Amino acid sequence: MTDTEDRKPQSDEARSAFAPPAAAVAPADAESPTSEFAVPEGLAVPRSDPDSETTSEFALPDGLEVTPPQPAEPEGSAFSPPRTYSAKQPPPAFTPPTGIPLVTLTKDVPWQDRMRTMLRMPVTERPAPEPVQRHDEAGPAVPRVLDLTLRIGELLLAGGEGAEDVEAAMFAVCRSYGLDRCEPNVTFTLLSISYQPSLVDDPVTASRTVRRRSPDYTRLAAVYQLVDDLSDDETHVSLEEAYRRLAEIRRNRHPYPGWVLTGASGLLAGAASVLVGGGVLVFVAAAIGAMLGDRLAWLCAGRGLPEFYQFTAAAMPPAAIGVALTVAHVDVKASAVITGGLFALLPGRALVAGVQDGLTGFYITAAARLLEVLYFFVGIVVGVLVVLYFGVQLGAELNPDEALGGAPRPVLQIAASMMLSLAFAVLLQQERSTVLLVTLNGGVAWVVYGAMYSTGGISPVAATAAAAGLVGLFGQLLARYRFASALPYTTAAIGPLLPGSATYFGLLGFAQNEVDAGLVFLTKAVALAMAIAIGVNLGSEISRLFLRIGSAEKRRAAKRTRGF
């Protein structure tokens, strides 16, 4: 056997992976660069025995002594364990050279904008609350504050308020009593809120279900006034006082009796019939049909029937009167009568709220609201189609183009649009102080629409979107001026823009077995409805561009980060 074979190990396991080769000679110069596989300093490497066996390739060879680590290492080694965080010996905190920016909110803007801004901020960047309402040293009664918050949110959601505005109101109530770490959550039928006292305490969660909705804007305005008082630095409202005021809001009767609402529905239908070319006789016929439909819907509601059947029953009398006038060969525009009756039934309020929720990121609530609008619309379709089908079988000749004819009557149509907005405001149970403003807003909307569509020849969808955007802009500015909700100033003002004629002509096409024409008109109705909803929301967002919400340091934190 040669010397080379004597120096050859018996197997690969006979030497360590980190042991230097036998023929390796350490360099004489200590300052020369070393290999990354060189043995670190402090390890004494003895002469390896080729006959010894090790159990693991990565085991420490016998005879190696590890010296204690140096107090300070310029650089970490690849073989040293990583540093871990220790609560007892935490690393020194790092503060940027420019300091940590302080997030502040201006207090000269309405609470809706301040709370909406904070909801769009990350939780870690929200400024600490300054409790507005005073309480004892033990702190507020958390379960009662959460219960009050849920009851206020229930009234707002039942009144037709958007999901984001409901969350802003709930957040404002909690922060007014010093509960900052709270997260409200609003869906179509469920309200929930969670509050965590500290990072080590269990969260407190409460929820409430909204089972019934009623468009009472007087009650909505009273709830907004209560939230505004709770958020005011100078007005101190205790929990007991807030509960008492909330109970009074619930017990208050509607500002208008039932017979006034029935008359308002007739006035709305008559004004809508004038907008599409009707005369005095058409006005009276449409008003009578709408009032009969309203009473029939009240009768169905008293018997406990769902709203789907109430809309179906309310759509039948106006269509029946229009068909009867046609069969009797009365020289009137029957299509204008039926179109006017549909205006009082179209769910414009729910449509605007649904699209607004979708544009602000509340997709579940938006889908539920739009599905509700679809069911109401199908109910109207069923009621009108049943009457039109029997009318066609009886020989009624309904011309889809007759309601669109006639010379423009700008003065009469402007007056009719203002009358329609006035009747719509009464149906929504608005405060008497807001009726005049919303009536003027509706007249301005129709002037813009008529100038763009009739005079300028612009597409009706674009003209409707522009008029609705102006309604939303004025509504938000009026709401911010009065520290109230924008719904009373916008919902009734979009009444003249609702696609009543397009809806009727679409249904008439189906009744006369002209499916293609019916689909064209219904598609136009959907486009007009979406233009109204998007225009109102866009006008509201544009109005906020003119309002100073917070300081410059906060602008980046307020950016919405949904989806990424």
Side-chain angles (χ1 to χ4, degrees), residues 277-508:
V280 178
L281 185 58
V282 172
F283 179 93
V284 175
I288 293 175
M291 288 189 290
L292 290 177
D294 181 76
R295 287 293 92 189
L296 189 58
W298 276 100
L299 181 62
C300 295
R303 296 296 184 270
L305 291 178
E307 287 184 300
F308 176 85
Y309 301 105
Q310 297 176 27
F311 274 81
T312 302
M316 288 183 176
I321 291 180
V323 171
L325 292 175
T326 304
V327 174
H329 302 286
V330 180
D331 189 14
V332 295
K333 295 181 178 180
S335 298
V337 176
I338 302 176
T339 300
L342 292 180
F343 263 84
L345 301 176
L346 294 178
R349 172 182 56 88
L351 175 66
V352 172
V355 175
Q356 180 181 0
D357 289 340
L359 295 177
T360 52
F362 295 85
Y363 303 112
I364 297 178
T365 307
R369 288 186 188 271
L370 294 178
L371 185 61
E372 182 187 37
V373 172
L374 178 62
Y375 271 101
F376 291 163
F377 188 77
V378 171
I380 298 172
V381 167
V382 171
V384 175
L385 277 181
V386 169
V387 176
L388 291 181
Y389 176 78
F390 285 105
V392 172
Q393 297 300 321
L394 293 175
E397 297 180 358
L398 299 172
N399 185 10
D401 298 328
E402 63 176 353
L404 300 178
R409 301 172 297 177
V411 178
L412 184 59
Q413 288 181 336
I414 292 174
S417 65
M418 297 177 65
M419 189 182 304
L420 192 152
S421 299
L422 172 64
F424 206 172
V426 173
L427 286 176
L428 293 174
Q429 302 282 356
Q430 290 192 196
E431 291 181 304
R432 292 179 174 86
S433 60
T434 63
V435 171
L436 178 59
L437 293 175
V438 75
T439 301
L440 295 177
N441 201 8
V444 171
W446 184 260
V447 169
V448 173
Y449 172 79
M452 296 182 65
Y453 174 64
S454 301
T455 306
I458 302 176
S459 168
V461 177
T464 301
L470 194 62
V471 168
L473 176 62
F474 287 166
Q476 282 291 338
L477 294 178
L478 289 172
R480 294 305 181 265
Y481 175 73
R482 295 198 170 194
F483 293 88
S485 173
L487 288 180
Y489 302 99
T490 58
T491 305
I494 64 173
L497 305 176
L498 292 177
S501 59
T503 303
Y504 163 70
F505 293 145
L507 300 181
L508 181 60

